Coordinates of all heavy atoms in Angstrom, one line a residue:
D25 N -98.0 -192.1 82.9 CA -97.9 -193.6 83.0 C -98.1 -194.2 81.6 O -97.5 -195.3 81.4 CB -98.8 -194.1 84.1 CG -100.3 -194.1 83.7 OD1 -100.7 -193.0 83.4 OD2 -100.9 -195.1 83.7
E26 N -98.9 -193.6 80.8 CA -99.0 -194.2 79.5 C -97.7 -194.1 78.7 O -97.3 -195.1 78.0 CB -100.1 -193.4 78.7 CG -101.6 -193.7 79.2 CD -102.5 -192.9 78.4 OE1 -102.4 -191.6 78.4 OE2 -103.5 -193.5 77.9
I27 N -97.1 -193.0 78.7 CA -95.8 -192.8 78.1 C -94.8 -193.7 78.7 O -94.0 -194.4 78.0 CB -95.3 -191.4 78.1 CG1 -96.3 -190.5 77.4 CG2 -93.9 -191.2 77.6 CD1 -96.1 -188.9 77.6
E28 N -94.7 -193.8 80.0 CA -93.7 -194.6 80.7 C -93.8 -196.0 80.4 O -92.8 -196.8 80.1 CB -93.7 -194.3 82.2 CG -93.2 -193.0 82.5 CD -93.5 -192.6 84.0 OE1 -94.2 -193.4 84.7 OE2 -93.1 -191.5 84.4
R29 N -95.1 -196.5 80.3 CA -95.3 -197.9 80.0 C -95.0 -198.3 78.5 O -94.5 -199.4 78.2 CB -96.7 -198.4 80.4 CG -96.9 -198.3 81.9 CD -98.3 -198.7 82.3 NE -98.6 -200.1 82.2 CZ -99.8 -200.6 82.6 NH1 -100.8 -199.9 83.0 NH2 -100.0 -201.9 82.5
F30 N -95.3 -197.3 77.7 CA -95.0 -197.5 76.2 C -93.4 -197.6 76.1 O -92.9 -198.5 75.3 CB -95.5 -196.5 75.4 CG -95.6 -196.7 73.9 CD1 -96.7 -197.3 73.4 CD2 -94.5 -196.5 73.1 CE1 -96.8 -197.7 72.0 CE2 -94.6 -196.9 71.7 CZ -95.7 -197.5 71.2
V31 N -92.7 -196.7 76.8 CA -91.3 -196.7 76.7 C -90.7 -198.0 77.3 O -89.8 -198.7 76.7 CB -90.7 -195.5 77.4 CG1 -89.1 -195.7 77.6 CG2 -91.0 -194.3 76.7
S32 N -91.3 -198.5 78.3 CA -90.9 -199.8 78.9 C -91.1 -200.9 77.9 O -90.3 -201.9 77.8 CB -91.7 -200.2 80.2 OG -91.4 -199.2 81.3
G33 N -92.2 -200.8 77.1 CA -92.5 -201.8 76.1 C -91.4 -201.8 75.0 O -91.1 -202.8 74.4
L34 N -91.0 -200.6 74.6 CA -89.9 -200.4 73.6 C -88.6 -201.2 74.1 O -87.9 -201.8 73.3 CB -89.6 -199.0 73.3 CG -90.6 -198.2 72.5 CD1 -90.3 -196.7 72.6 CD2 -90.7 -198.7 71.1
T35 N -88.4 -201.1 75.4 CA -87.2 -201.6 76.0 C -87.3 -203.1 76.1 O -86.3 -203.8 75.7 CB -86.9 -201.0 77.4 OG1 -87.0 -199.6 77.3 CG2 -85.6 -201.5 77.9
D36 N -88.4 -203.7 76.5 CA -88.5 -205.1 76.8 C -89.0 -205.9 75.6 O -89.1 -207.1 75.7 CB -89.3 -205.4 78.1 CG -90.7 -205.0 78.0 OD1 -91.3 -204.9 76.9 OD2 -91.3 -204.8 79.1
G37 N -89.4 -205.2 74.6 CA -89.9 -205.9 73.4 C -91.4 -206.2 73.3 O -91.9 -206.7 72.3
S38 N -92.1 -205.8 74.3 CA -93.6 -206.1 74.4 C -94.3 -205.1 73.4 O -95.4 -205.4 73.0 CB -94.1 -205.9 75.8 OG -93.9 -204.6 76.3
V39 N -93.7 -204.0 72.9 CA -94.2 -203.2 71.9 C -93.5 -203.6 70.6 O -92.2 -203.6 70.6 CB -93.9 -201.7 72.2 CG1 -94.2 -200.8 71.0 CG2 -94.8 -201.3 73.4
G40 N -94.2 -204.0 69.6 CA -93.6 -204.5 68.3 C -93.1 -203.4 67.5 O -93.5 -202.2 67.7
D41 N -92.4 -203.7 66.4 CA -91.9 -202.7 65.5 C -93.0 -201.9 64.8 O -92.9 -200.7 64.7 CB -91.0 -203.3 64.4 CG -89.6 -203.7 64.9 OD1 -89.3 -203.4 66.1 OD2 -88.9 -204.3 64.2
A42 N -94.0 -202.6 64.4 CA -95.2 -202.0 63.8 C -95.9 -201.0 64.7 O -96.3 -199.9 64.3 CB -96.2 -203.0 63.3
Q43 N -96.0 -201.3 66.0 CA -96.6 -200.5 67.0 C -95.7 -199.2 67.2 O -96.2 -198.1 67.4 CB -96.9 -201.2 68.2 CG -98.0 -202.3 68.1 CD -98.1 -203.2 69.3 OE1 -97.1 -203.6 69.9 NE2 -99.3 -203.5 69.7
A44 N -94.4 -199.5 67.3 CA -93.5 -198.4 67.5 C -93.6 -197.4 66.3 O -93.5 -196.2 66.5 CB -92.0 -198.9 67.7
A45 N -93.6 -198.0 65.1 CA -93.7 -197.1 63.9 C -95.0 -196.3 63.9 O -95.1 -195.1 63.5 CB -93.6 -198.0 62.7
A46 N -96.1 -196.9 64.3 CA -97.4 -196.3 64.4 C -97.4 -195.2 65.4 O -98.0 -194.1 65.2 CB -98.5 -197.3 64.6

Side-chain angles (χ1 to χ4, degrees):
D25 68 307
E26 290 178 304
I27 296 171
E28 289 169 355
R29 293 177 76 178
F30 197 91
V31 170
S32 294
L34 287 171
T35 307
D36 64 24
S38 59
V39 170
D41 284 355
Q43 292 170 319

